[in-house]
Amino acid sequence: MTSPSAPVDFRAMWTAARPDLDTSPMDIVGPIKRIDAMLTTALEPLYEGAPLTAPELDALVQLRHAQGPVIARRLAETLGCSRAAVSKTLAKLEKRGFVERRPSPADRRAALVTVTPAGCDAIDTMFPRQLSAEAELLDSLGAERDRVVEALNLLEKVLQQRVSRQRA
């Protein structure tokens, strides 16, 4: 039986079942998915009873120091979310008075989004708490932190180039 901390070797299983498949991406994608799930689980208590959800905080982080109003479509691109998901998040934030949305004078189909003073207060309370929790989770990286950051930045750059070419 596998311990909860040891991931099941799905790559070996797939390789055995389908030797014709290149399962090498699982060496990178698998840990990323597990890390994402662990971060989500570790940060869940932070949002219990909080004025914001994690997706709302992510949106407000982007809006907090923006140089003027942000087009909702651009926010979706920056967050890596669908326009529908961002629209739903913004509607909830707007209903609670954390953001304002108004039609763009240049394109009536586009919404310009700005954070309100109440939104600034909410993010200025929540974001430091999230940063503190994340720092605590990662503090045991120690001297390896720089290597991890470098590898993650490389992966992000490679994926961004690929995604950009696909969109072109």
Side-chain angles (χ1 to χ4, degrees):
M1 176 178 245
T2 305
S3 74
S5 62
V8 175
D9 193 352
F10 286 112
R11 181 176 181 196
M13 292 176 185
W14 272 103
T15 300
R18 292 284 309 272
D20 58 308
L21 294 178
D22 174 10
T23 59
S24 65
M26 295 175 80
D27 289 340
I28 295 172
V29 176
I32 290 171
K33 288 181 178 184
R34 289 189 299 276
I35 290 166
D36 181 53
M38 285 184 273
L39 280 171
T40 299
T41 299
L43 294 175
E44 276 176 357
L46 187 67
Y47 294 97
E48 292 173 8
L52 299 169
T53 65
E56 291 170 343
L57 182 65
D58 290 343
L60 286 176
V61 164
Q62 297 299 317
L63 295 170
R64 176 67 171 93
H65 297 287
Q67 304 296 316
V70 175
I71 296 173
R73 179 180 69 249
R74 294 273 185 256
L75 183 60
E77 290 170 4
T78 301
L79 293 171
C81 297
S82 70
R83 291 180 191 175
V86 167
S87 180
K88 184 177 177 180
T89 297
L90 290 175
K92 290 177 183 179
L93 289 168
E94 183 178 36
K95 186 175 182 177
R96 295 196 323 273
F98 293 144
V99 298
E100 287 182 351
R101 290 191 293 180
R102 55 185 159 67
S104 168
D107 181 356
R108 290 183 299 172
R109 297 169 298 163
L112 296 175
V113 184
T114 54
V115 65
T116 65
C120 288
D121 289 345
I123 192 158
D124 289 350
T125 298
M126 285 295 300
F127 192 55
R129 290 176 55 201
Q130 179 171 317
L131 286 175
S132 177
E134 290 169 345
E136 186 178 324
L137 288 169
L138 300 172
D139 68 353
S140 61
L141 281 173
E144 296 295 318
R145 185 182 190 284
D146 290 342
R147 267 186 353 121
V148 172
V149 170
E150 187 178 330
L152 290 170
N153 286 333
L154 173 62
L155 179 60
E156 179 185 23
K157 179 181 173 184
V158 168
L159 292 176
Q160 184 59 50
Q161 288 171 346
R162 182 64 178 217
V163 169
S164 294
R165 282 197 310 266
Q166 288 175 338
R167 288 184 181 161

